[in-house]
Amino acid sequence: MRVQDNATEVTAAGIARLAGVGRAAVSNWRRRHADFPKPVGGTETSPSFALAEVEGWLRDHSKLAEVPLRERVWQQLVGHPEGPVTALKHAGCVLLLIHDHPTRWLEVSAGSDVRLAAMLPEALGQVLTARFGAAAVNVSSGDREATPVHTERSEKAPTSVNTPPTVHTPAPATPAPVAPALDAPTGPAVLPSAPLLRGTAELAAELGARQTFEFLLGRHLDANPRQYTLTPADLAGLMADLAGPARTVLDPACGAGALLRAAAPDGPAPRAEQADQRLYAQDGAPDLAALTGVRLALHTRATVRGAAGDTLRADAFPELRADAVLCHPPFNERNWGHDELAYDARWEYGFPARTESELAWVQHALARLRDGGTAVLLMPPAAASRRSGRRIRADLLRRGALRAVVALPVGAAPPYNLPLHLWVLRRPEKAPAQPEVLLADVGRFAGEGRGGPDWRAVRDAVLDAWRDFDRAGRLDDRPGLARSLPVIELLDDDVDLAPARHLPPPAAADAAGRLTDVRERLDETLRLTTDLTPDLALDRTLLAAGTAQSAPRWPLTTVGELARGGALLLRTGTNGGHARVPALTDHDVLAGTAPSGTLPESDEEPVLTEPGDVVVPVLGGGSVARVIDDATAGAALGRNLVLLRPDPAALDPWFLAGFLRGTANNRQASSYASTATRLDVRRLQLPRLPLDAQHRYGARFRALDEFERALRLAGRLGEQLVRGMYDGLTDGTLPPGR
């Protein structure tokens, strides 16, 4: 007999998802039904309820919807009594067991939850030790509170990452403790997780073990965006390609493991090649170190060695000499160990100032490379020019360790408002006779709006320049994009490595050619706007009639009434979805641009747009409605958007969109808070007109939309032309003329 899942808690939002209703319905049930389950946790304003009791009540009252398996597992995870991170680690361990030894899981899971809790720790201990090594796993079959805690690293009795030791300020010569990356859950810890683990196994049978963990981990990261700084997958792939194929790879600030995941062979890579690779990961956050270890083990057959601890103060791999180091270090940290590490052997190129934590990470990476090995680090742009780091930058250049600095477009990675840099370093086997360094700037490939950079263009430009430079030791100038400079030209008082300050401007012919193209497009667009300008002369009779008599009094209806009558379908945007398609955001609708967003992966069914749909933003107080065309169709509907899908036999979409944009219409349907305006789309009004009259109005509204889009394009082209003219005149690529 299984233990009831009374320990798992669920919030009102979770109950709404289980029942397929809104949160207001859950609030009504609590008020109207005396037998509704009582809160068992949470706060007065955000209570939580026992999942088993809620499911029983919903079932008894015929309110339990057909709950998708992914939603049930997610609710069990977030409602776990030890918290979602512990639940995610337990689920990850079981997924690894299922992935490596599926028959062993079937044997362990047969029978009651008590039997599962008794047998699972030993099975997990075996698979975790095999994949991570004995020193990287804490295995215990007793009660968690009885596990001894040590403050020094020991392979016989390693420190538990879930029960950290009491922290004392160490003497300068005493390193901080390094913890194993992962705990194998004990018998008492497994028991509350049993329903979650069984549901996870069921989901793995449907999706696969790796995809199940990616879903759960991705949803957890999306639900806690302020807790984690993630490396985008496109950027991680570029960094791994710059480092090149490597048998041994280290990430000393691994986070969620994106960089090591990009460096590990996947898919068609031979199994033997995967097994021959070794991945080393360390992070100061024990939870991330554990989750990354599981993620990598599920992703590849490579040997994974992980540790939790402060990398600069307590390096877990001091003897490692890796082929490649990939790192997205924390930026602008003052408390990185400046006082304790003054005499550390890693400062081969100079002792970093307190304000230069990034240069400490650079030297740590070089210290863990074999001779000739490559390191690629994501750096803040200030690290290339701050005066406090000029001596270390100079020594990196003189000795040939710093090989390239690449300025990325704005929006490549958090913080998204800065054009971050990539530093490519190589541990020199011998000092080069006449070293050169590659400087590149791919900022021109920044995307418009929130879509991020054009990663294909960034990747092609950076890799092409790097490979040519790496092969020849130098690179012919690529105006406005890349060049190699002799180190001696950079060794001045500032040692400023910002690429934009050293690149030659674009060739005059190229600059003039691009501006000519922009000018021609602007001329064409301006002619189009002239052709599309509404001809008010055609409407003078109507205008005269309007001044002589009052406006027509049409019978009105509302969007809500039309939805209830079946004339249109009303849908709202979701917070996530399983379909990996571009998402149409409220910013896209307001700016008239292509879909630029993405939805966090979840079990929610995304709302996909179709031609003829009308999309309305509900925040901001603007009078905007967008008709979906063939180019925008198929995008997922983002948050703060409402989609109206009219029945073509009853409503013309352009007629609908046009009347929804009326200023007075929006004003009467809006509600106001202290800092925001929200539109109640159901209250928007439009006249009851026959379909042929709707088509006539729709044709005029569609013409206005084309005119509006042409004006927007003309504005963007005009800005490009003006900016290009300023740049060309100031950098000498364009003559002033007569």
Side-chain angles (χ1 to χ4, degrees), residues 50-241:
L51 178 60
E53 294 179 7
V54 167
E55 285 187 318
W57 187 90
L58 292 173
R59 191 176 292 107
D60 293 342
H61 289 75
S62 301
K63 298 182 183 297
L64 187 62
E66 186 63 32
V67 182
L69 178 59
R70 288 200 278 190
E71 180 61 33
R72 176 174 174 80
V73 173
W74 174 249
Q75 292 298 335
Q76 290 173 328
L77 188 144
V78 297
H80 194 279
E82 295 296 325
V85 173
T86 296
L88 190 54
K89 287 190 284 189
H90 290 182
C93 290
V94 165
L95 287 170
L96 189 56
L97 175 62
I98 294 171
H99 182 269
D100 288 0
H101 303 289
T103 56
R104 180 69 170 139
W105 163 253
L106 294 176
E107 175 188 345
V108 168
S109 61
S112 68
D113 288 353
V114 174
R115 180 178 181 274
L116 171 67
M119 297 184 64
L120 186 60
E122 181 182 356
L124 292 181
Q126 292 172 356
V127 70
L128 295 179
T129 300
R131 296 302 300 273
F132 301 112
V137 180
N138 188 25
V139 181
S140 173
S141 59
D143 188 280
R144 178 176 299 275
E145 294 182 357
T147 303
V149 175
H150 298 260
T151 57
E152 295 181 359
R153 190 179 178 202
S154 169
E155 293 188 359
K156 293 183 180 180
T159 305
S160 165
V161 298
N162 289 330
T163 310
T166 303
V167 177
H168 301 285
T169 303
T174 304
V178 176
L182 193 63
D183 274 348
T186 64
V190 167
L191 197 55
S193 299
L196 165 67
L197 301 182
R198 293 186 188 277
T200 300
E202 187 178 352
L203 187 57
E206 177 182 313
L207 303 178
R210 179 196 300 180
Q211 291 77 6
T212 297
F213 189 73
E214 287 295 322
F215 160 69
L216 295 174
L217 176 62
R219 190 155 177 182
H220 172 69
L221 296 176
D222 290 337
N224 301 276
R226 296 185 180 181
Q227 295 183 25
Y228 307 105
T229 300
L230 304 180
T231 307
D234 290 311
L235 176 57
L238 174 61
M239 293 173 68
D241 287 340

Side-chain angles (χ1 to χ4, degrees), residues 14 194 247 348 411 495 504 592 629-630 633 698-699 705:
R247 180 177 176 273
E348 188 176 348
V495 195
D629 56 16
D630 291 334
D705 181 78

Side-chain angles (χ1 to χ4, degrees), residues 3 41 99 104 151 168 208 257 274-275 294 316 336 343 345 360 367 411 421 490 494 522 531 563 569 583 661 734:
V3 175
H99 182 269
R104 180 69 170 139
T151 57
H168 301 285
Q274 293 188 21
V294 174
W336 58 268
Y343 301 101
H421 289 180
L490 297 170
D494 295 322
L522 178 59
D531 295 339
L569 175 68
R661 291 191 60 170
L734 289 178

Side-chain angles (χ1 to χ4, degrees), residues 245-250 276-280 320-325 369:
R247 180 177 176 273
T248 306
V249 188
L250 166 69
D276 190 49
Q277 192 178 41
R278 292 180 175 270
L279 306 176
Y280 293 85
L320 178 64
R321 296 298 178 264
D323 298 319
V325 175
L369 285 173

Side-chain angles (χ1 to χ4, degrees), residues 30-43:
R30 291 185 62 195
R31 289 195 300 266
R32 294 170 52 191
H33 297 276
D35 61 339
F36 192 87
K38 303 301 181 186
V40 297
T43 64

